[in-house]
Amino acid sequence: MYISSNYLCFYANILNWKSTLELNLKDVSGITREKTAKVISNAIEVRTEKGEKYFFASFVTRDKTFGIIEKIWTAARLNQVKLREKKKRNKKNSSF
């Protein structure tokens, strides 16, 4: 799993079976701590605005990873709100 200020990406190559995912953080609606087998606290679920769910498991340090993802996701959402407000202000100012 890779995370940047705008994207959450995943890549796996298990027995030559490749899996990739690229999610724009602006499309993520929620992130939760989860369990595998209902008892092992080692998973994270990411949900999108479109209702998609992605389940990532086998984190050795799930809570630390979750904290980092949540912090970056929150910052991305705040930046998105600031950009919208700036566009609204610019639109108002240009109409005068």
Side-chain angles (χ1 to χ4, degrees), residues 22-87:
E22 184 179 299
L23 290 174
N24 192 321
L25 290 175
K26 72 177 184 173
D27 299 329
V28 173
S29 62
I31 303 169
T32 55
R33 291 176 179 95
E34 299 294 335
K35 296 178 181 179
T36 54
K38 298 188 181 189
V39 293
I40 303 169
S41 300
N42 70 343
I44 296 173
E45 183 176 85
V46 178
R47 292 177 313 284
T48 68
E49 299 287 343
K50 294 178 183 178
E52 301 163 320
K53 293 181 182 181
Y54 299 97
F55 192 83
F56 302 97
S58 301
F59 288 98
V60 175
T61 56
R62 189 241 1 225
D63 291 337
K64 186 175 182 178
T65 304
F66 177 85
I68 292 167
I69 294 170
E70 185 178 48
K71 186 176 181 178
I72 294 171
W73 173 59
T74 301
R77 291 179 68 88
L78 286 174
N79 286 339
Q80 187 179 2
V81 169
K82 289 178 184 177
L83 284 174
R84 270 192 247 129
E85 290 172 356
K86 186 177 180 181
K87 286 180 182 179

